[in-house]
Amino acid sequence: MDEQSGTDKRPPSRRIADDLRTSIQTGALASGAKLPSERELAAQYGTARNTAREAISILQGEGLVVAQHGRGVFVRPRAPLMRLGANRYSRRLRSETGLSPFRIEVTKQGRTPKTECRSVTRDTPPADVADRLGLDPNTATVIRRENWYFADDEPVQVGVTYIPIDVAGESPLASERTLGKGSIYARFEDLGYRITRIREEISARMPYHDESTGLAMPPGVPVIEVLHTSFDEQHRAFEVTRFVMRGDLNGLDYEMPVED
């Protein structure tokens, strides 16, 4: 990280951030490494501490570093948590492990999963959800299940599942927060709805306030939104889940055949 030359037109905070980012990307600043302090960066670059603070804020907004109160700023230590689209809904894996898709994939990646079902209610479905379930958005009522997901106690995503009333009936899906071995898809199978096909529509956007707060997101980080629809053996859509995932902590890994 050299002193600024007369031809470098970047703002000082951007120049510091660019140099630190390069060090992170090349491994000169390794995963979990502590960044120089604001005072050290200011002295090294001949700037004010506020300028060094702005540079660190840029990296925080990009999700590359995380501040630990009283300790300093560190390179984010973990690779993104991958959503393994090819086999996350595998019935065999669910039967062997007794775990939900999220718990299966987090465990496979060496992390410790945790889920919290925060509410089970009856509600009117959003228009896009009603469309995918073949329901009238003006008159339909669905079961709404809100789940928050954690890896090593860090919030990584929230998922809201919508289930038609005639699918859930009086089963645990309609009222219980804890669904037992195999979790939600095992309970669907109990009712005769075996997942055989999925559709997942993926987009990115900036988080809403409650998402940003609940997921403890740094400024400037987008979310990945996955609108998931499950189909049974009769090609009926029996549930839709909207997943909102931290963009700096998650990735998507899909493998699928290519049609002729």
Side-chain angles (χ1 to χ4, degrees):
M1 290 183 270
D2 299 327
E3 293 297 321
Q4 183 175 13
S5 69
T7 60
D8 193 337
K9 303 302 182 183
R10 292 173 295 171
S13 60
R14 176 60 66 179
R15 181 167 54 94
I16 298 171
D18 289 348
D19 286 350
L20 289 171
R21 186 188 306 102
T22 298
S23 295
I24 293 170
Q25 292 172 339
T26 61
L29 277 171
S31 174
K34 185 177 181 179
L35 268 62
S37 68
E38 293 174 5
R39 186 184 301 276
E40 291 168 335
L41 288 171
Q44 181 175 348
Y45 284 88
T47 64
R49 286 186 62 179
N50 281 348
T51 302
R53 185 176 301 120
E54 290 173 8
I56 291 173
S57 294
I58 291 171
L59 298 179
Q60 286 180 296
E62 295 173 353
L64 292 175
V65 302
V66 58
Q68 298 182 12
H69 183 69
R71 297 190 61 222
V73 179
F74 297 82
V75 178
R76 184 173 291 282
R78 298 187 181 95
L81 181 67
M82 301 304 295
R83 180 183 177 89
L84 306 174
N87 63 5
R88 78 185 312 262
Y89 296 101
S90 165
R91 185 170 184 264
R92 177 184 59 80
L93 287 176
R94 196 167 63 249
S95 298
E96 289 176 356
T97 64
L99 301 177
S100 67
F102 176 78
R103 288 179 178 273
I104 290 172
E105 66 190 3
V106 172
T107 301
K108 285 177 65 175
Q109 294 173 69
R111 311 276 294 274
T112 301
K114 183 178 73 172
T115 60
E116 294 179 3
C117 182
R118 296 190 177 175
S119 66
V120 182
T121 59
R122 295 191 174 214
D123 206 346
T124 301
D128 56 350
V129 171
D131 175 69
R132 283 147 186 81
L133 290 172
L135 302 174
D136 184 339
N138 298 310
T139 60
T141 300
V142 294
I143 301 298
R144 181 187 185 276
R145 302 181 60 89
E146 181 176 323
N147 289 279
W148 289 73
Y149 301 84
F150 302 79
D152 296 336
D153 288 326
E154 186 171 31
V156 294
Q157 67 183 49
V158 56
V160 178
T161 298
Y162 301 91
I163 309 168
I165 293 292
D166 62 353
V167 170
E170 299 300 321
S171 74
L173 293 169
S175 57
E176 301 297 326
R177 296 193 181 192
T178 302
L179 293 176
K181 184 177 180 180
S183 194
I184 190 169
Y185 292 105
R187 303 294 75 77
F188 278 123
E189 283 196 19
D190 294 343
L191 298 174
Y193 296 92
R194 177 179 175 182
I195 184 171
T196 60
R197 184 169 63 91
I198 65 169
R199 177 188 182 189
E200 294 197 334
E201 302 162 74
I202 301 165
S203 58
R205 59 173 173 79
M206 297 309 294
Y208 305 136
H209 176 73
D210 58 338
E211 295 166 343
S212 180
T213 301
L215 293 171
M217 297 184 66
V221 174
V223 293
I224 302 168
E225 182 171 301
V226 178
L227 188 63
H228 163 96
T229 306
S230 293
F231 299 88
D232 68 6
E233 294 170 306
Q234 281 70 50
H235 309 292
R236 297 173 297 185
F238 61 87
E239 67 97 6
V240 170
T241 300
R242 191 187 311 277
F243 294 99
V244 176
M245 310 161 68
R246 277 185 58 161
D248 58 335
L249 297 183
N250 290 276
L252 305 172
D253 184 353
Y254 290 86
E255 180 178 333
M256 60 196 72
V258 176
E259 296 182 0
D260 291 334

